[in-house]
Coordinates of all heavy atoms in Angstrom, one line a residue:
T57 N -62.4 57.5 74.1 CA -63.3 57.4 75.3 C -64.3 56.2 75.1 O -64.8 55.8 76.1 CB -64.1 58.7 75.4 OG1 -64.6 59.0 74.0 CG2 -63.3 59.8 75.9
S58 N -64.5 55.7 73.9 CA -65.5 54.6 73.8 C -65.3 54.0 72.4 O -64.7 54.6 71.5 CB -66.9 55.2 73.9 OG -67.2 56.1 72.9
G59 N -66.0 52.9 72.2 CA -66.1 52.3 70.9 C -66.9 53.1 70.0 O -66.7 53.2 68.8
T60 N -68.0 53.7 70.6 CA -68.9 54.6 69.8 C -68.1 55.7 69.2 O -68.2 56.0 68.0 CB -70.0 55.1 70.7 OG1 -70.6 54.0 71.4 CG2 -71.0 55.8 69.9
S61 N -67.2 56.4 70.0 CA -66.4 57.5 69.4 C -65.5 57.0 68.4 O -65.2 57.7 67.4 CB -65.7 58.3 70.5 OG -64.9 57.4 71.3
I63 N -66.0 54.6 66.2 CA -66.8 54.4 64.9 C -67.1 55.8 64.4 O -67.0 56.0 63.1 CB -68.1 53.6 65.2 CG1 -67.8 52.2 65.6 CG2 -69.0 53.6 63.9 CD1 -69.0 51.4 66.1
T84 N -77.0 44.0 65.8 CA -75.9 44.5 66.5 C -76.4 45.4 67.6 O -77.6 45.7 67.7 CB -74.9 45.3 65.6 OG1 -73.8 45.7 66.3 CG2 -75.6 46.5 65.0
F85 N -75.5 45.9 68.4 CA -75.8 46.9 69.4 C -75.9 48.3 68.6 O -75.2 48.5 67.7 CB -74.6 47.0 70.4 CG -74.8 48.1 71.5 CD1 -76.0 48.2 72.2 CD2 -73.8 48.9 71.8 CE1 -76.2 49.1 73.1 CE2 -73.9 49.8 72.9 CZ -75.1 50.0 73.5
S86 N -76.8 49.1 69.1 CA -77.2 50.3 68.3 C -76.0 51.3 68.1 O -76.0 52.1 67.2 CB -78.3 51.1 69.1 OG -77.8 51.6 70.3
A87 N -74.9 51.1 69.0 CA -73.7 51.9 68.8 C -73.0 51.7 67.5 O -72.2 52.6 67.1 CB -72.8 51.7 70.0
S88 N -73.2 50.6 66.8 CA -72.6 50.4 65.5 C -73.2 51.4 64.5 O -72.6 51.8 63.6 CB -72.9 49.0 65.0 OG -72.5 48.0 65.9
A89 N -74.5 51.7 64.7 CA -75.3 52.5 63.7 C -75.4 53.9 64.1 O -75.5 54.8 63.2 CB -76.6 51.8 63.4
V136 N -69.9 43.4 61.9 CA -69.7 43.3 63.4 C -69.4 41.8 63.7 O -69.9 40.9 63.0 CB -71.0 43.6 64.1 CG1 -70.8 43.6 65.6 CG2 -71.5 45.0 63.7
H137 N -68.6 41.6 64.7 CA -68.3 40.2 65.2 C -69.1 39.9 66.4 O -68.7 40.2 67.5 CB -66.8 40.1 65.5 CG -65.9 40.5 64.4 ND1 -65.9 40.0 63.1 CD2 -64.9 41.5 64.4 CE1 -64.9 40.5 62.4 NE2 -64.3 41.5 63.1
L138 N -70.3 39.5 66.2 CA -71.3 39.4 67.2 C -70.9 38.4 68.3 O -70.6 37.2 68.0 CB -72.6 38.9 66.6 CG -73.9 39.5 67.0 CD1 -73.9 41.0 66.9 CD2 -75.1 39.0 66.2
D162 N -66.3 46.5 63.2 CA -66.7 46.7 64.5 C -66.4 45.5 65.3 O -67.1 44.5 65.4 CB -68.2 47.0 64.6 CG -68.7 47.3 66.0 OD1 -67.9 47.0 67.0 OD2 -69.9 47.7 66.2
A163 N -65.2 45.5 66.0 CA -64.7 44.4 66.7 C -64.8 44.7 68.2 O -64.1 44.1 69.1 CB -63.2 44.2 66.4
A164 N -65.8 45.5 68.6 CA -66.1 45.9 70.0 C -66.3 44.7 70.9 O -65.9 44.7 72.1 CB -67.3 46.8 70.1
E165 N -66.8 43.6 70.3 CA -67.1 42.4 71.2 C -66.1 41.3 70.9 O -66.2 40.2 71.5 CB -68.5 41.9 70.8 CG -69.6 42.9 71.0 CD -71.0 42.5 70.6 OE1 -71.2 41.3 70.2 OE2 -71.9 43.3 70.7
V184 N -62.4 48.7 65.2 CA -62.9 49.4 66.4 C -63.0 48.4 67.6 O -63.4 47.3 67.4 CB -64.4 49.9 66.1 CG1 -65.0 50.4 67.4 CG2 -64.3 51.0 65.0
L185 N -62.5 48.9 68.7 CA -62.6 48.1 70.0 C -63.3 48.9 71.0 O -63.4 50.1 71.0 CB -61.2 47.8 70.5 CG -60.2 47.0 69.6 CD1 -58.8 46.9 70.2 CD2 -60.7 45.6 69.3
S186 N -63.9 48.1 72.0 CA -64.6 48.8 73.1 C -64.1 48.2 74.4 O -63.8 46.9 74.5 CB -66.1 48.6 73.0 OG -66.7 48.9 74.3
F187 N -63.9 49.0 75.4 CA -63.5 48.5 76.7 C -64.5 49.0 77.8 O -64.2 49.4 78.9 CB -62.1 49.1 77.1 CG -61.1 49.0 76.0 CD1 -60.6 50.1 75.4 CD2 -60.7 47.7 75.6 CE1 -59.7 50.0 74.3 CE2 -59.8 47.6 74.5 CZ -59.3 48.7 73.9
N188 N -65.8 48.9 77.3 CA -66.9 49.2 78.2 C -66.9 48.2 79.4 O -66.3 47.1 79.2 CB -68.2 49.2 77.4 CG -69.3 50.0 78.2 OD1 -69.0 50.7 79.1 ND2 -70.5 49.8 77.7
G189 N -67.7 48.5 80.4 CA -67.7 47.6 81.6 C -68.0 46.2 81.4 O -67.6 45.3 82.2
N190 N -68.8 45.9 80.4 CA -69.3 44.5 80.2 C -68.5 43.7 79.2 O -68.8 42.6 78.9 CB -70.8 44.5 79.9 CG -71.1 45.2 78.6 OD1 -70.2 45.9 78.0 ND2 -72.3 45.1 78.2
K191 N -67.5 44.4 78.5 CA -66.8 43.7 77.5 C -65.7 42.7 78.0 O -65.5 42.7 79.2 CB -66.1 44.8 76.5 CG -67.2 45.7 75.8 CD -67.9 45.0 74.7 CE -69.3 45.5 74.4 NZ -69.4 46.9 73.9
G197 N -64.8 52.5 81.0 CA -65.3 53.0 79.7 C -64.1 53.3 78.8 O -63.2 53.9 79.3
G198 N -64.2 53.0 77.6 CA -63.1 53.3 76.7 C -63.3 52.5 75.4 O -64.1 51.7 75.2
G199 N -62.4 52.9 74.4 CA -62.4 52.3 73.1 C -61.1 52.6 72.4 O -60.3 53.3 72.9
W294 N -67.2 35.9 74.0 CA -67.5 37.0 74.9 C -68.8 36.6 75.7 O -68.8 36.6 76.9 CB -67.7 38.3 74.2 CG -68.2 39.4 75.0 CD1 -67.8 39.8 76.3 CD2 -69.3 40.2 74.8 NE1 -68.5 40.8 76.8 CE2 -69.5 41.1 75.9 CE3 -70.2 40.3 73.7 CZ2 -70.5 42.1 75.9 CZ3 -71.2 41.3 73.7 CH2 -71.4 42.1 74.8
W328 N -79.3 40.8 70.5 CA -79.5 42.2 70.1 C -80.8 42.2 69.2 O -80.9 41.4 68.3 CB -78.4 42.7 69.3 CG -77.0 42.8 70.0 CD1 -75.9 42.2 69.6 CD2 -76.7 43.5 71.2 NE1 -74.9 42.5 70.5 CE2 -75.4 43.3 71.5 CE3 -77.5 44.4 72.0 CZ2 -74.7 43.9 72.6 CZ3 -76.8 44.9 73.1 CH2 -75.5 44.7 73.4
Ligands
PLP1 C1 -70.1 47.8 73.0 C2 -70.3 47.9 71.6 C3 -70.1 49.1 70.9 C4 -69.9 50.4 71.6 O1 -68.8 50.5 72.4 P1 -68.8 51.6 73.6 O2 -67.4 51.5 74.1 O3 -69.8 51.1 74.6 O4 -69.2 52.9 73.1 C5 -70.2 49.2 69.5 N1 -70.5 48.1 68.8 C6 -70.8 46.9 69.4 C7 -71.1 45.7 68.6 C8 -70.7 46.8 70.8 O5 -71.0 45.6 71.4

Side-chain angles (χ1 to χ4, degrees):
T57 47
S58 65
T60 311
S61 58
I63 296 173
T84 183
F85 180 45
S86 64
S88 304
V136 184
H137 308 301
L138 222 54
D162 183 347
E165 301 177 3
V184 169
L185 301 175
S186 168
F187 315 112
N188 199 16
N190 60 353
K191 297 285 155 65
W294 172 52
W328 299 123

